[in-house]
Amino acid sequence: MQLHLQHQLSVAIENTPGRLAAVSRLLADRRINIQALCVIDNVEQGMVRMLVSDAANARGVLEFAGFPVVAAEVLVVELVDQLGQLSRIAEALGTGGVNIEYAYATVDHAGGPTRMVMKTTKPRKAKEILAALAAS
């Protein structure tokens, strides 16, 4: 299990066609790569959460274009997909008093590498807890 803290950007967008394209085009035009993405919708707006290759520049570009942006520290967990892996992680964090506010992940195939992004109440403590779990 590999663990690292990273800054995630959350961008509020109108829930209309083309808004995600506008965000991604702004970043691509400045050679900022989107490394992870989660898009959530509700009635009035969408929320784009992403990890990018240059969070500081991406934030500036998006804010200059009028998009509201919030940065947050998240824990990125790289591991191998195995049955019960999420249960072990969630139990260890819960026992350690760390709440998972939200997470997103994907895996190409069972047993393959997985990259999970977790927003927790205490990201640094979460990293310590999971490092100890990985070492055991």
Side-chain angles (χ1 to χ4, degrees), residues 1-53:
M1 181 181 311
Q2 295 182 353
L3 308 160
H4 61 277
L5 297 171
Q6 194 167 340
H7 283 95
Q8 170 192 263
L9 300 179
S10 294
V11 184
I13 60 172
E14 296 86 1
N15 195 7
T16 58
R19 296 312 289 162
L20 180 58
V23 168
S24 58
R25 175 53 47 209
L26 282 168
L27 298 178
D29 286 348
R30 280 140 188 102
R31 307 196 54 76
I32 299 170
N33 187 41
I34 298 172
Q35 301 167 330
L37 179 71
C38 176
V39 181
I40 303 165
D41 73 331
N42 65 32
V43 176
E44 295 179 15
Q45 73 174 20
M47 179 62 64
V48 178
R49 292 189 171 121
M50 61 186 143
L51 300 181
V52 295
S53 57

Short mmCIF file of all heavy atoms in Angstrom, two decimals, residues 1-53:
data_model
loop_
_atom_site.label_atom_id
_atom_site.label_comp_id
_atom_site.label_asym_id
_atom_site.label_seq_id
_atom_site.Cartn_x
_atom_site.Cartn_y
_atom_site.Cartn_z
N MET A 1 0.85 -1.17 0.00
CA MET A 1 0.00 0.00 0.00
C MET A 1 0.90 1.23 0.00
O MET A 1 1.79 1.35 0.82
CB MET A 1 -0.90 -0.03 1.25
CG MET A 1 -1.85 1.11 1.36
SD MET A 1 -2.91 1.11 2.86
CE MET A 1 -3.57 -0.53 2.92
N GLN A 2 0.67 2.12 -0.93
CA GLN A 2 1.38 3.40 -0.97
C GLN A 2 0.40 4.50 -0.62
O GLN A 2 -0.74 4.49 -1.06
CB GLN A 2 1.98 3.65 -2.35
CG GLN A 2 3.06 2.67 -2.72
CD GLN A 2 3.66 2.98 -4.08
OE1 GLN A 2 3.21 3.84 -4.81
NE2 GLN A 2 4.71 2.26 -4.43
N LEU A 3 0.87 5.46 0.18
CA LEU A 3 0.02 6.53 0.68
C LEU A 3 0.68 7.87 0.44
O LEU A 3 1.88 8.02 0.69
CB LEU A 3 -0.20 6.36 2.19
CG LEU A 3 -0.69 4.99 2.65
CD1 LEU A 3 -0.40 4.78 4.11
CD2 LEU A 3 -2.18 4.86 2.37
N HIS A 4 -0.07 8.82 -0.02
CA HIS A 4 0.45 10.18 -0.08
C HIS A 4 -0.70 11.19 -0.01
O HIS A 4 -1.83 10.91 -0.40
CB HIS A 4 1.35 10.42 -1.30
CG HIS A 4 0.70 10.23 -2.63
ND1 HIS A 4 0.55 9.01 -3.22
CD2 HIS A 4 0.14 11.11 -3.47
CE1 HIS A 4 -0.06 9.16 -4.39
NE2 HIS A 4 -0.32 10.42 -4.56
N LEU A 5 -0.37 12.34 0.54
CA LEU A 5 -1.33 13.43 0.63
C LEU A 5 -1.21 14.29 -0.61
O LEU A 5 -0.13 14.51 -1.13
CB LEU A 5 -1.06 14.27 1.89
CG LEU A 5 -1.22 13.51 3.21
CD1 LEU A 5 -0.72 14.36 4.37
CD2 LEU A 5 -2.67 13.10 3.43
N GLN A 6 -2.34 14.75 -1.09
CA GLN A 6 -2.36 15.57 -2.29
C GLN A 6 -3.47 16.60 -2.16
O GLN A 6 -4.44 16.39 -1.42
CB GLN A 6 -2.59 14.67 -3.52
CG GLN A 6 -2.31 15.35 -4.83
CD GLN A 6 -2.23 14.33 -5.98
OE1 GLN A 6 -2.02 13.15 -5.79
NE2 GLN A 6 -2.41 14.84 -7.19
N HIS A 7 -3.36 17.69 -2.90
CA HIS A 7 -4.42 18.70 -2.90
C HIS A 7 -5.41 18.38 -4.01
O HIS A 7 -5.04 18.25 -5.17
CB HIS A 7 -3.85 20.11 -3.07
CG HIS A 7 -3.24 20.62 -1.81
ND1 HIS A 7 -1.90 20.51 -1.55
CD2 HIS A 7 -3.80 21.19 -0.73
CE1 HIS A 7 -1.66 21.01 -0.36
NE2 HIS A 7 -2.79 21.42 0.17
N GLN A 8 -6.66 18.26 -3.62
CA GLN A 8 -7.76 18.03 -4.54
C GLN A 8 -8.46 19.37 -4.77
O GLN A 8 -8.61 20.16 -3.85
CB GLN A 8 -8.74 17.04 -3.93
CG GLN A 8 -10.04 16.90 -4.69
CD GLN A 8 -11.04 16.13 -3.87
OE1 GLN A 8 -11.18 14.95 -4.05
NE2 GLN A 8 -11.73 16.81 -2.96
N LEU A 9 -8.90 19.59 -5.99
CA LEU A 9 -9.69 20.77 -6.29
C LEU A 9 -11.15 20.36 -6.47
O LEU A 9 -11.45 19.37 -7.13
CB LEU A 9 -9.19 21.45 -7.56
CG LEU A 9 -7.74 21.92 -7.55
CD1 LEU A 9 -7.39 22.56 -8.89
CD2 LEU A 9 -7.49 22.87 -6.40
N SER A 10 -12.04 21.12 -5.85
CA SER A 10 -13.48 20.94 -6.05
C SER A 10 -13.98 22.18 -6.76
O SER A 10 -13.77 23.30 -6.29
CB SER A 10 -14.20 20.76 -4.71
OG SER A 10 -13.80 19.56 -4.09
N VAL A 11 -14.63 21.98 -7.88
CA VAL A 11 -15.09 23.08 -8.73
C VAL A 11 -16.60 22.97 -8.90
O VAL A 11 -17.11 21.96 -9.37
CB VAL A 11 -14.42 23.03 -10.12
CG1 VAL A 11 -14.82 24.22 -10.96
CG2 VAL A 11 -12.91 22.91 -10.00
N ALA A 12 -17.31 24.03 -8.51
CA ALA A 12 -18.76 24.06 -8.70
C ALA A 12 -19.05 24.50 -10.13
O ALA A 12 -18.49 25.49 -10.60
CB ALA A 12 -19.40 25.02 -7.70
N ILE A 13 -19.90 23.74 -10.80
CA ILE A 13 -20.26 24.08 -12.18
C ILE A 13 -21.78 23.99 -12.33
O ILE A 13 -22.45 23.28 -11.58
CB ILE A 13 -19.58 23.17 -13.22
CG1 ILE A 13 -19.96 21.70 -13.00
CG2 ILE A 13 -18.08 23.35 -13.20
CD1 ILE A 13 -19.48 20.76 -14.10
N GLU A 14 -22.30 24.72 -13.30
CA GLU A 14 -23.72 24.61 -13.63
C GLU A 14 -23.95 23.20 -14.16
O GLU A 14 -23.12 22.65 -14.88
CB GLU A 14 -24.13 25.63 -14.69
CG GLU A 14 -24.00 27.08 -14.26
CD GLU A 14 -22.59 27.64 -14.51
OE1 GLU A 14 -21.72 26.92 -15.02
OE2 GLU A 14 -22.38 28.81 -14.16
N ASN A 15 -25.08 22.65 -13.83
CA ASN A 15 -25.43 21.31 -14.28
C ASN A 15 -26.06 21.40 -15.68
O ASN A 15 -27.25 21.16 -15.86
CB ASN A 15 -26.38 20.65 -13.28
CG ASN A 15 -26.50 19.16 -13.49
OD1 ASN A 15 -25.79 18.60 -14.31
ND2 ASN A 15 -27.40 18.54 -12.76
N THR A 16 -25.23 21.81 -16.65
CA THR A 16 -25.69 21.97 -18.03
C THR A 16 -24.64 21.38 -18.97
O THR A 16 -23.46 21.28 -18.62
CB THR A 16 -25.89 23.46 -18.38
OG1 THR A 16 -24.66 24.17 -18.18
CG2 THR A 16 -26.98 24.10 -17.52
N PRO A 17 -25.07 21.02 -20.18
CA PRO A 17 -24.13 20.46 -21.15
C PRO A 17 -22.97 21.42 -21.45
O PRO A 17 -23.17 22.63 -21.58
CB PRO A 17 -24.99 20.25 -22.40
CG PRO A 17 -26.39 20.13 -21.90
CD PRO A 17 -26.45 21.04 -20.71
N GLY A 18 -21.78 20.88 -21.50
CA GLY A 18 -20.61 21.65 -21.90
C GLY A 18 -19.79 22.25 -20.77
O GLY A 18 -18.67 22.72 -20.99
N ARG A 19 -20.31 22.25 -19.54
CA ARG A 19 -19.56 22.89 -18.45
C ARG A 19 -18.33 22.07 -18.06
O ARG A 19 -17.27 22.63 -17.80
CB ARG A 19 -20.45 23.12 -17.23
CG ARG A 19 -21.58 24.11 -17.50
CD ARG A 19 -21.13 25.39 -18.19
NE ARG A 19 -20.35 26.21 -17.27
CZ ARG A 19 -19.55 27.20 -17.63
NH1 ARG A 19 -19.39 27.51 -18.89
NH2 ARG A 19 -18.90 27.90 -16.73
N LEU A 20 -18.44 20.75 -18.01
CA LEU A 20 -17.26 19.92 -17.73
C LEU A 20 -16.25 20.05 -18.86
O LEU A 20 -15.04 20.11 -18.63
CB LEU A 20 -17.66 18.45 -17.55
CG LEU A 20 -16.52 17.49 -17.24
CD1 LEU A 20 -15.77 17.90 -15.97
CD2 LEU A 20 -17.05 16.06 -17.11
N ALA A 21 -16.73 20.18 -20.07
CA ALA A 21 -15.83 20.39 -21.22
C ALA A 21 -15.06 21.69 -21.06
O ALA A 21 -13.86 21.75 -21.36
CB ALA A 21 -16.63 20.39 -22.52
N ALA A 22 -15.72 22.73 -20.58
CA ALA A 22 -15.06 24.02 -20.39
C ALA A 22 -13.94 23.92 -19.34
O ALA A 22 -12.84 24.43 -19.55
CB ALA A 22 -16.08 25.09 -19.99
N VAL A 23 -14.23 23.25 -18.24
CA VAL A 23 -13.23 23.08 -17.18
C VAL A 23 -12.04 22.29 -17.71
O VAL A 23 -10.88 22.69 -17.56
CB VAL A 23 -13.85 22.38 -15.95
CG1 VAL A 23 -12.77 21.92 -14.97
CG2 VAL A 23 -14.84 23.31 -15.25
N SER A 24 -12.32 21.17 -18.33
CA SER A 24 -11.23 20.32 -18.81
C SER A 24 -10.44 20.97 -19.94
O SER A 24 -9.22 20.79 -20.03
CB SER A 24 -11.75 18.94 -19.22
OG SER A 24 -12.74 19.04 -20.22
N ARG A 25 -11.08 21.75 -20.78
CA ARG A 25 -10.38 22.45 -21.86
C ARG A 25 -9.44 23.50 -21.30
O ARG A 25 -8.30 23.66 -21.75
CB ARG A 25 -11.38 23.07 -22.83
CG ARG A 25 -10.78 23.94 -23.94
CD ARG A 25 -9.70 23.31 -24.80
NE ARG A 25 -10.03 21.98 -25.26
CZ ARG A 25 -9.11 21.03 -25.52
NH1 ARG A 25 -7.82 21.26 -25.37
NH2 ARG A 25 -9.49 19.85 -25.94
N LEU A 26 -9.89 24.26 -20.30
CA LEU A 26 -9.02 25.27 -19.67
C LEU A 26 -7.74 24.62 -19.14
O LEU A 26 -6.64 25.16 -19.32
CB LEU A 26 -9.75 25.96 -18.51
CG LEU A 26 -10.76 27.03 -18.88
CD1 LEU A 26 -11.59 27.40 -17.66
CD2 LEU A 26 -10.05 28.27 -19.43
N LEU A 27 -7.88 23.50 -18.49
CA LEU A 27 -6.71 22.82 -17.94
C LEU A 27 -5.82 22.22 -19.03
O LEU A 27 -4.60 22.36 -18.99
CB LEU A 27 -7.15 21.74 -16.95
CG LEU A 27 -7.92 22.26 -15.73
CD1 LEU A 27 -8.35 21.11 -14.84
CD2 LEU A 27 -7.12 23.29 -14.95
N ALA A 28 -6.44 21.59 -20.01
CA ALA A 28 -5.66 20.98 -21.10
C ALA A 28 -4.88 22.04 -21.87
O ALA A 28 -3.71 21.82 -22.23
CB ALA A 28 -6.58 20.21 -22.04
N ASP A 29 -5.49 23.19 -22.10
CA ASP A 29 -4.81 24.26 -22.83
C ASP A 29 -3.58 24.77 -22.10
O ASP A 29 -2.68 25.33 -22.71
CB ASP A 29 -5.77 25.43 -23.10
CG ASP A 29 -6.79 25.12 -24.17
OD1 ASP A 29 -6.63 24.10 -24.89
OD2 ASP A 29 -7.76 25.90 -24.31
N ARG A 30 -3.54 24.57 -20.79
CA ARG A 30 -2.38 24.99 -20.00
C ARG A 30 -1.51 23.81 -19.59
O ARG A 30 -0.68 23.91 -18.71
CB ARG A 30 -2.84 25.77 -18.78
CG ARG A 30 -3.15 27.21 -19.21
CD ARG A 30 -4.37 27.72 -18.53
NE ARG A 30 -4.78 29.00 -19.07
CZ ARG A 30 -5.79 29.13 -19.94
NH1 ARG A 30 -6.42 28.10 -20.41
NH2 ARG A 30 -6.15 30.33 -20.34
N ARG A 31 -1.74 22.67 -20.25
CA ARG A 31 -0.95 21.46 -20.06
C ARG A 31 -1.00 20.95 -18.62
O ARG A 31 -0.02 20.42 -18.09
CB ARG A 31 0.48 21.66 -20.54
CG ARG A 31 0.52 22.17 -22.00
CD ARG A 31 1.83 22.05 -22.69
NE ARG A 31 2.44 20.75 -22.73
CZ ARG A 31 2.08 19.73 -23.52
NH1 ARG A 31 1.04 19.87 -24.32
NH2 ARG A 31 2.73 18.59 -23.51
N ILE A 32 -2.16 21.11 -17.99
CA ILE A 32 -2.40 20.58 -16.64
C ILE A 32 -3.21 19.31 -16.81
O ILE A 32 -4.32 19.33 -17.36
CB ILE A 32 -3.14 21.61 -15.77
CG1 ILE A 32 -2.29 22.88 -15.61
CG2 ILE A 32 -3.48 20.99 -14.41
CD1 ILE A 32 -3.03 24.04 -14.97
N ASN A 33 -2.66 18.21 -16.35
CA ASN A 33 -3.29 16.90 -16.53
C ASN A 33 -4.24 16.59 -15.38
O ASN A 33 -3.90 16.79 -14.22
CB ASN A 33 -2.21 15.81 -16.62
CG ASN A 33 -2.78 14.47 -16.98
OD1 ASN A 33 -3.67 14.37 -17.82
ND2 ASN A 33 -2.29 13.43 -16.34
N ILE A 34 -5.42 16.09 -15.72
CA ILE A 34 -6.36 15.60 -14.71
C ILE A 34 -6.00 14.15 -14.43
O ILE A 34 -6.06 13.31 -15.33
CB ILE A 34 -7.82 15.73 -15.20
CG1 ILE A 34 -8.16 17.20 -15.45
CG2 ILE A 34 -8.78 15.12 -14.18
CD1 ILE A 34 -9.50 17.43 -16.12
N GLN A 35 -5.65 13.86 -13.17
CA GLN A 35 -5.17 12.53 -12.79
C GLN A 35 -6.26 11.67 -12.15
O GLN A 35 -6.16 10.45 -12.14
CB GLN A 35 -4.00 12.67 -11.82
CG GLN A 35 -2.84 13.44 -12.45
CD GLN A 35 -1.80 13.86 -11.43
OE1 GLN A 35 -2.11 14.11 -10.27
NE2 GLN A 35 -0.58 13.97 -11.89
N ALA A 36 -7.26 12.30 -11.56
CA ALA A 36 -8.40 11.59 -10.97
C ALA A 36 -9.59 12.52 -11.05
O ALA A 36 -9.43 13.74 -10.97
CB ALA A 36 -8.11 11.20 -9.52
N LEU A 37 -10.77 11.94 -11.19
CA LEU A 37 -11.96 12.76 -11.42
C LEU A 37 -13.19 12.11 -10.80
O LEU A 37 -13.38 10.90 -10.89
CB LEU A 37 -12.18 12.92 -12.92
CG LEU A 37 -13.39 13.72 -13.38
CD1 LEU A 37 -13.20 15.20 -13.09
CD2 LEU A 37 -13.63 13.49 -14.86
N CYS A 38 -14.00 12.94 -10.18
CA CYS A 38 -15.31 12.54 -9.66
C CYS A 38 -16.27 13.68 -9.97
O CYS A 38 -15.98 14.83 -9.64
CB CYS A 38 -15.22 12.29 -8.16
SG CYS A 38 -16.78 11.90 -7.39
N VAL A 39 -17.37 13.38 -10.62
CA VAL A 39 -18.37 14.39 -10.94
C VAL A 39 -19.68 13.99 -10.25
O VAL A 39 -20.15 12.87 -10.41
CB VAL A 39 -18.59 14.52 -12.46
CG1 VAL A 39 -19.62 15.59 -12.77
CG2 VAL A 39 -17.28 14.80 -13.18
N ILE A 40 -20.22 14.93 -9.49
CA ILE A 40 -21.45 14.69 -8.74
C ILE A 40 -22.47 15.74 -9.20
O ILE A 40 -22.13 16.91 -9.35
CB ILE A 40 -21.19 14.84 -7.23
CG1 ILE A 40 -20.10 13.87 -6.81
CG2 ILE A 40 -22.47 14.62 -6.44
CD1 ILE A 40 -19.52 14.18 -5.46
N ASP A 41 -23.70 15.32 -9.36
CA ASP A 41 -24.73 16.28 -9.77
C ASP A 41 -25.80 16.42 -8.70
O ASP A 41 -25.97 15.57 -7.85
CB ASP A 41 -25.37 15.86 -11.10
CG ASP A 41 -26.30 14.67 -10.95
OD1 ASP A 41 -26.08 13.85 -10.05
OD2 ASP A 41 -27.24 14.55 -11.74
N ASN A 42 -26.47 17.55 -8.76
CA ASN A 42 -27.71 17.74 -8.02
C ASN A 42 -28.59 18.61 -8.90
O ASN A 42 -28.24 18.89 -10.04
CB ASN A 42 -27.48 18.30 -6.61
CG ASN A 42 -26.90 19.70 -6.61
OD1 ASN A 42 -27.16 20.49 -7.50
ND2 ASN A 42 -26.09 20.01 -5.61
N VAL A 43 -29.68 19.07 -8.41
CA VAL A 43 -30.65 19.77 -9.25
C VAL A 43 -30.07 21.04 -9.86
O VAL A 43 -30.23 21.31 -11.04
CB VAL A 43 -31.92 20.09 -8.44
CG1 VAL A 43 -32.90 20.92 -9.26
CG2 VAL A 43 -32.58 18.81 -7.96
N GLU A 44 -29.39 21.85 -9.06
CA GLU A 44 -28.96 23.16 -9.53
C GLU A 44 -27.53 23.25 -10.01
O GLU A 44 -27.21 24.09 -10.84
CB GLU A 44 -29.19 24.18 -8.42
CG GLU A 44 -30.66 24.35 -8.08
CD GLU A 44 -30.88 25.34 -6.96
OE1 GLU A 44 -29.96 26.09 -6.63
OE2 GLU A 44 -31.98 25.34 -6.42
N GLN A 45 -26.65 22.43 -9.47
CA GLN A 45 -25.25 22.53 -9.89
C GLN A 45 -24.57 21.17 -9.80
O GLN A 45 -25.09 20.25 -9.20
CB GLN A 45 -24.48 23.54 -9.04
CG GLN A 45 -24.18 23.10 -7.63
CD GLN A 45 -23.29 24.09 -6.89
OE1 GLN A 45 -23.20 25.24 -7.26
NE2 GLN A 45 -22.64 23.64 -5.86
N GLY A 46 -23.41 21.11 -10.41
CA GLY A 46 -22.58 19.92 -10.31
C GLY A 46 -21.34 20.25 -9.51
O GLY A 46 -21.00 21.42 -9.31
N MET A 47 -20.68 19.21 -9.04
CA MET A 47 -19.42 19.39 -8.34
C MET A 47 -18.40 18.47 -9.00
O MET A 47 -18.64 17.28 -9.13
CB MET A 47 -19.57 19.03 -6.86
CG MET A 47 -18.31 19.18 -6.06
SD MET A 47 -17.67 20.88 -5.99
CE MET A 47 -18.97 21.71 -5.11
N VAL A 48 -17.30 19.07 -9.44
CA VAL A 48 -16.21 18.32 -10.04
C VAL A 48 -15.09 18.27 -9.02
O VAL A 48 -14.59 19.32 -8.59
CB VAL A 48 -15.71 18.99 -11.34
CG1 VAL A 48 -14.54 18.22 -11.92
CG2 VAL A 48 -16.84 19.14 -12.34
N ARG A 49 -14.71 17.06 -8.61
CA ARG A 49 -13.58 16.89 -7.71
C ARG A 49 -12.47 16.24 -8.52
O ARG A 49 -12.72 15.26 -9.22
CB ARG A 49 -13.97 16.03 -6.52
CG ARG A 49 -14.96 16.75 -5.63
CD ARG A 49 -15.20 15.99 -4.33
NE ARG A 49 -15.97 16.84 -3.46
CZ ARG A 49 -17.16 16.52 -2.96
NH1 ARG A 49 -17.70 15.35 -3.26
NH2 ARG A 49 -17.79 17.34 -2.17
N MET A 50 -11.26 16.79 -8.42
CA MET A 50 -10.19 16.25 -9.24
C MET A 50 -8.82 16.43 -8.61
O MET A 50 -8.58 17.37 -7.85
CB MET A 50 -10.22 16.86 -10.62
CG MET A 50 -10.03 18.34 -10.68
SD MET A 50 -10.27 18.95 -12.36
CE MET A 50 -11.06 20.49 -12.00
N LEU A 51 -7.96 15.50 -8.96
CA LEU A 51 -6.54 15.63 -8.69
C LEU A 51 -5.90 16.00 -10.02
O LEU A 51 -6.25 15.42 -11.05
CB LEU A 51 -5.95 14.30 -8.20
CG LEU A 51 -6.53 13.73 -6.91
CD1 LEU A 51 -5.82 12.43 -6.56
CD2 LEU A 51 -6.43 14.72 -5.77
N VAL A 52 -5.01 16.97 -9.97
CA VAL A 52 -4.38 17.45 -11.20
C VAL A 52 -2.87 17.50 -11.01
O VAL A 52 -2.36 17.47 -9.89
CB VAL A 52 -4.93 18.84 -11.60
CG1 VAL A 52 -6.40 18.77 -11.96
CG2 VAL A 52 -4.69 19.86 -10.50
N SER A 53 -2.16 17.62 -12.12
CA SER A 53 -0.70 17.62 -12.09
C SER A 53 -0.12 18.88 -11.46
O SER A 53 1.02 18.86 -10.98
CB SER A 53 -0.14 17.44 -13.50
OG SER A 53 -0.63 18.45 -14.36
#
